[in-house]
Amino acid sequence: SSLTKETKELLIEFYVQNTGKKTLLLKVPQCCYFLQQKPETPQTPHGFVIFLRKRLKHARLKAIQQLDFERIITFTFETKEQERIQEYNLIVEFIPPGNILLCDATMKIISPLETQEWKDRTIKPNRQYLSPKKEYNFLTITEKEFSKLLTTSDKESIVKILAIDLGLGGKYAEHLCKAANVMKDKKKLTTTELHHLSEAITMLRAHKITPVLTESGEILPFKLNESDRECESENAPLTFIEAISSVLAPHAERKKQAEKESTYTKVVDKHQKIIDMQTKQKHAMLEEIELSTKKGEAIYSNY
């Protein structure tokens, strides 16, 4: 797969009983989804890919887990090594700048794609994996805990508390403020406003996942506006993964085609510059020949 500083894309191919092969694309830190068809892969794989193949080839996927409400997914694999069952955890962090790392059963890091370091945690081999810590989890936060968050947060508005401290991002934070009829720039809420906002959070968590397409071309897990419409293919509703794939796969293909065309154009431009330079040099040499011929004839006629 394509693993560079600019592009971190890892393909994992699964064999699903009664279904066949399924290819999962991990595009870090943007997204992950199943591909409709397997794309071309580099002839010379990245060293980290070769390392993962040695450890995870023919492994069985035991579990997939999201860390609380964080953008971190853990794939737990089981493999048989020298008659012993070995467990590995492949951790994918979608928090920018993103990372992929393989840990053992005790969450000790065996090898990361990239070594990274922050003030409160370090990603490098032989270190215990520590995930980013948020005090409050959007999936389980209560009205009492939310009230405490409002008083302890250093953010200056309710919309930023929802977006950053609870990890919702701007779109869903603004949606909650609108649903609860609360001014998004406020921080101190009345008891009624706090209750309405808490109810809006509960309703947001209870939404059934039904992929919808927005006017701007985004895929959302449920309707936020009346203009959003359900994603369908030949009048049949799509799953969320199918909807993402139907939008992103063609876009990725167009992008790769554009990159190929760009590379081709650069090669053509390079050769055209060489041709132009040689043509210029040829004309200069012809002019020099003509001038030298005239000089020779003048010398001969006055010999």
Side-chain angles (χ1 to χ4, degrees):
S1 290
S2 175
L3 287 171
T4 65
K5 287 186 177 180
E6 294 76 24
T7 307
K8 303 173 196 171
E9 294 183 359
L10 179 67
L11 295 176
I12 304 180
E13 194 169 71
F14 296 96
Y15 178 79
V16 184
Q17 195 171 7
N18 300 324
T19 302
K21 290 181 179 178
K22 300 276 282 184
T23 303
L24 180 70
L25 171 65
L26 300 172
K27 188 177 176 67
V28 179
Q30 289 88 357
C31 57
C32 69
Y33 59 95
F34 281 107
L35 296 173
Q36 294 170 332
Q37 57 184 20
K38 188 178 177 181
E40 293 181 12
T41 53
Q43 290 184 347
T44 305
H46 189 280
F48 186 68
V49 174
I50 296 171
F51 170 79
L52 290 180
R53 282 178 183 173
K54 288 180 179 177
R55 298 296 181 109
L56 300 179
K57 192 174 183 180
H58 303 307
R60 185 176 70 89
L61 181 63
K62 185 179 176 184
I64 305 173
Q65 187 176 9
Q66 180 184 2
L67 176 66
D68 296 330
F69 196 61
E70 271 295 1
R71 288 166 288 174
I72 298 174
I73 299 177
T74 301
F75 296 85
T76 303
F77 292 96
E78 267 188 357
T79 184
K80 202 170 185 180
E81 297 178 9
Q82 298 177 351
E83 302 303 318
R84 291 178 59 192
I85 298 296
Q86 185 72 37
E87 188 174 284
Y88 293 105
N89 291 297
L90 184 70
I91 300 172
V92 186
E93 294 191 347
F94 292 95
I95 308 162
N99 208 348
I100 304 171
L101 47 146
L102 188 69
C103 300
D104 64 13
T106 66
M107 298 304 279
K108 185 178 179 181
I109 300 171
I110 301 171
S111 180
L113 172 60
E114 292 179 355
T115 298
Q116 297 170 337
E117 192 164 349
W118 295 269
K119 63 179 181 179
D120 55 348
R121 68 189 193 111
T122 300
I123 303 293
K124 62 168 48 175
N126 299 317
R127 289 288 190 96
Q128 197 69 22
Y129 175 72
L130 297 174
S131 60
K133 294 295 180 185
K134 269 193 170 67
E135 189 175 353
Y136 299 99
N137 180 358
F138 171 75
L139 298 175
T140 57
I141 192 169
T142 62
E143 187 171 331
K144 185 177 180 181
E145 289 173 332
F146 187 57
S147 176
K148 184 181 177 183
L149 171 60
L150 294 181
T151 58
T152 57
S153 175
D154 58 354
K155 308 298 181 297
E156 65 273 18
S157 64
I158 183 63
V159 73
K160 288 189 176 180
I161 291 172
L162 291 168
I164 300 170
D165 290 340
L166 282 185
L168 284 174
K171 182 183 292 291
Y172 297 99
E174 291 195 9
H175 170 75
L176 283 174
C177 292
K178 187 178 179 181
N181 199 23
V182 172
M183 296 292 290
K184 65 180 183 179
D185 295 328
K186 288 181 69 174
K187 183 173 181 180
K188 291 185 179 179
L189 304 183
T190 65
T191 304
T192 303
E193 287 175 328
L194 176 64
H195 182 65
H196 286 169
L197 197 52
S198 184
E199 283 186 333
I201 288 173
T202 302
M203 288 177 65
L204 187 66
R205 290 191 300 223
H207 264 296
K208 182 183 177 182
I209 302 297
T210 305
V212 296
L213 183 67
T214 68
E215 289 181 332
S216 60
E218 290 180 287
I219 299 290
L220 301 181
F222 39 75
K223 278 191 174 187
L224 290 182
N225 301 296
E226 286 301 317
S227 58
D228 298 342
R229 58 183 178 81
E230 287 191 21
C231 296
E232 294 184 348
S233 175
E234 296 179 358
N235 300 320
L238 296 173
T239 65
F240 192 56
I241 288 291
E242 288 170 343
I244 292 173
S245 183
S246 68
V247 171
L248 294 185
H251 173 73
E253 193 58 40
R254 286 194 300 271
K255 186 178 177 183
K256 284 185 179 179
Q257 185 61 34
E259 287 172 354
K260 283 182 181 178
E261 290 174 2
S262 175
T263 304
Y264 173 76
T265 303
K266 285 178 182 177
V267 173
V268 171
D269 288 346
K270 180 183 176 182
H271 287 293
Q272 188 60 52
K273 283 180 182 178
I274 294 171
I275 292 169
D276 292 343
M277 188 173 66
Q278 289 177 339
T279 303
K280 189 177 179 182
Q281 191 174 3
K282 174 190 170 185
H283 289 315
M285 291 173 73
L286 289 172
E287 287 175 2
E288 189 177 347
I289 289 169
E290 187 179 352
L291 181 62
S292 297
T293 302
K294 287 180 180 179
K295 285 180 180 179
E297 289 174 349
I299 293 170
Y300 184 74
S301 63
N302 291 285
Y303 178 67

